[in-house]
Amino acid sequence: MVGQNPQHTYRKDGVFYYCRRVPKDLLFKYDETRIVMSLRTKSITAARKSAATITSRLDEYWMSIRIAEMNIPSLLTLETANAGNRQIKISDALVNYHHLKGIGRDVLFFTTSTRFVGYVIDILGDRHIGDYSSSDAAALRDHLFDRGLSSSSVRRAFASIRAVINLAIKEHGLNCSNGFTNTFIPDLEDTKRRVPIPSTNLRLVQLKCKEIDDDLRWLISLISDSGMRLSEAVGLLKTDIHLQDDIPFIDLVPHRWRPLKTGNSKRRIPLVGCSFWACSRILSSSDSDFAFPRYTDVNRCNSNSASATLNKWLRPLVPDNCVVHSFRHSFRDRLREVEAPTEITDILGGWATKSIGQKYGNGFKLDVLAKWMRRIA
């Protein structure tokens, strides 16, 4: 029937809810006789897909409970072994994660993973990692949504939590499972889309940068015509900048204080327009080895602080929802406008290549990349 609610759902104020009775033989596992949760959507198509996924997961989970309750010696032995292994608390797992995975990582790595694990401890308690169940993970998910986090933010939190627990399980040879694996997170389409900066605003920003002519404006100018990520620019050494070559360029390589996001991020970027001007000003500035010593030293690259300061200055000069990262969106659009090949665009921006074939050979020479950079300048 057209308009009929998907199986196990009902509507309240237009929003779909999932509702399913708990089987009688499993009531001992629950405080309520029904499972009720908001699907956080008014779309019948999205609700149908979400409900089917939850139903499938519940069927699998309930079957695992029934099997666990059977008097099978091997299963009882495994259960006993698991119980003996659950001795690592999630707070200890986080310390272990930072110790092993934190080498060369920036401050953001530590602050975000600490915040995400903090969600678990605040809501579910600091337990042994094997004691968190899938229903605990679902409760955490619902709590984060109730706090106003977007779908993408909840996914990032769960990805970090899973990584912390998985590493502890592997390092300590535990037999327990990770309760945060395969938690269903609905796609609410609530993520704010970053938009490119229009060309008129871009030119205005660049003119303002040259008028003020300080290190913060050099940073904005550098990324505005190079397509670099903010952290990539903030962590530069002056020796990474080559202005005296026939084709001026930046040799973007990882540093201990600032690793690169992906393997494709390591690249050579021809300098044109405002990025060339910014590099000229950087090299003629202080005696520091760092391009931006205000934010970078041998121990850290504080691109988060730079982002907050620059976004505050940019706000009155650009449309709503435009931020520092919007320069990268504009950079890609500008290359589209001059009909640059996709492979050229991916290389210049440090984006992942789309095919295996693109990884063959030595890649494009600097003069070919410079040709396309000059077209957008």
Side-chain angles (χ1 to χ4, degrees):
M1 181 184 299
V2 177
Q4 184 177 3
N5 291 342
Q7 187 180 24
H8 302 308
T9 70
Y10 67 89
R11 278 189 249 202
K12 182 179 179 182
D13 297 329
V15 177
F16 282 92
Y17 285 76
Y18 184 86
C19 179
R20 191 173 180 191
R21 185 184 297 277
V22 177
K24 290 184 179 180
D25 62 322
L26 300 179
L27 285 173
F28 69 95
K29 282 283 187 178
Y30 293 86
D31 295 327
E32 304 290 340
T33 60
R34 291 179 182 272
I35 294 173
V36 180
M37 61 183 291
S38 172
L39 297 180
R40 300 177 184 274
T41 183
K42 294 183 178 181
S43 166
I44 191 169
T45 302
R48 183 177 292 109
K49 181 178 178 181
S50 298
T53 302
I54 296 172
T55 297
S56 176
R57 297 270 175 85
L58 275 176
D59 287 341
E60 292 176 5
Y61 175 60
W62 287 341
M63 180 57 69
S64 70
I65 295 175
R66 291 183 175 108
I67 292 175
E69 292 299 312
M70 297 170 65
N71 292 321
I72 303 176
S74 60
L75 286 175
L76 294 174
T77 302
L78 178 59
E79 193 71 29
T80 303
N82 283 343
N85 275 328
R86 292 170 182 169
Q87 300 301 316
I88 307 298
K89 288 188 174 182
I90 195 168
S91 57
D92 298 323
L94 178 64
V95 173
N96 179 64
Y97 184 74
H98 285 169
H99 175 69
L100 296 175
K101 294 284 190 176
I103 300 172
R105 308 299 286 269
D106 60 12
V107 175
L108 184 63
F109 169 82
F110 296 94
T111 56
T112 54
S113 55
T114 300
R115 180 169 69 250
F116 295 149
V117 170
Y119 293 155
V120 178
I121 295 173
D122 291 344
I123 306 306
L124 304 174
D126 187 12
R127 307 188 214 163
H128 298 145
I129 58 175
D131 289 342
Y132 296 108
S133 66
S134 57
S135 59
D136 290 325
L140 176 64
R141 173 204 60 205
D142 292 342
H143 177 83
L144 296 181
F145 276 128
D146 290 340
R147 285 182 52 172
L149 271 68
S150 65
S151 299
S152 59
S153 295
V154 174
R155 286 193 184 90
R156 281 195 297 272
F158 270 71
S160 182
I161 295 165
R162 282 195 300 269
V164 169
I165 295 177
N166 282 337
L167 182 63
I169 290 173
K170 291 177 182 177
E171 283 294 305
H172 296 281
L174 306 182
N175 292 323
C176 61
S177 60
N178 187 340
F180 295 88
T181 300
N182 298 325
T183 304
F184 174 73
I185 300 174
D187 186 0
L188 307 183
E189 299 181 356
D190 53 357
T191 303
K192 290 184 178 179
R193 183 176 179 271
R194 287 171 176 158
V195 296
I197 298 173
S199 57
T200 302
N201 299 84
L202 177 64
R203 300 309 174 199
L204 173 62
V205 169
Q206 292 177 331
L207 286 172
K208 291 287 186 183
C209 287
K210 289 187 176 181
E211 288 176 9
I212 299 174
D213 193 15
D214 64 5
D215 61 329
L216 292 176
R217 264 42 68 169
W218 303 341
L219 180 52
I220 288 180
S221 296
L222 175 56
I223 63 177
S224 71
D225 270 346
S226 68
M228 296 174 70
R229 298 176 178 91
L230 180 61
S231 61
E232 293 173 343
V234 171
L236 287 172
L237 286 174
K238 288 183 176 178
T239 53
D240 296 331
I241 302 171
H242 301 264
L243 285 189
Q244 304 306 317
D245 289 56
D246 293 338
I247 300 175
F249 71 98
I250 284 177
D251 188 17
L252 187 58
V253 295
H255 294 299
R256 180 168 58 84
W257 54 87
R258 190 266 288 131
L260 298 179
K261 185 175 182 180
T262 65
N264 294 304
S265 299
K266 182 179 178 181
R267 61 197 188 277
R268 294 190 300 171
I269 306 171
L271 291 167
V272 297
C274 275
S275 65
F276 178 86
W277 171 81
C279 286
S280 300
R281 302 295 294 127
I282 290 166
L283 294 185
S284 63
S285 61
S286 69
D287 295 331
S288 173
D289 293 332
F290 297 96
F292 298 99
R294 180 197 295 243
Y295 296 115
T296 306
D297 57 34
V298 293
N299 297 312
R300 63 168 180 74
C301 171
N302 194 355
S303 58
N304 284 339
S305 178
S307 177
T309 301
L310 296 181
N311 281 328
K312 183 177 180 180
W313 182 79
L314 275 176
R315 195 168 295 123
L317 301 175
V318 296
D320 292 344
N321 295 327
C322 285
V323 293
V324 170
H325 192 71
S326 297
F327 285 112
R328 272 176 67 78
H329 291 258
S330 299
F331 181 73
R332 184 131 196 151
D333 274 350
R334 291 161 70 190
L335 287 167
R336 288 187 181 109
E337 289 171 3
V338 298
E339 299 180 349
T342 300
E343 188 174 1
I344 291 283
T345 299
D346 289 339
I347 290 171
L348 287 172
W351 286 290
T353 54
K354 302 299 189 296
S355 71
I356 297 297
Q358 289 176 284
K359 298 178 182 179
Y360 279 55
N362 294 323
F364 292 99
K365 292 183 178 180
L366 193 61
D367 59 339
V368 176
L369 299 175
K371 177 183 71 173
W372 291 102
M373 290 293 285
R374 284 192 287 267
R375 291 186 181 183
I376 70 169

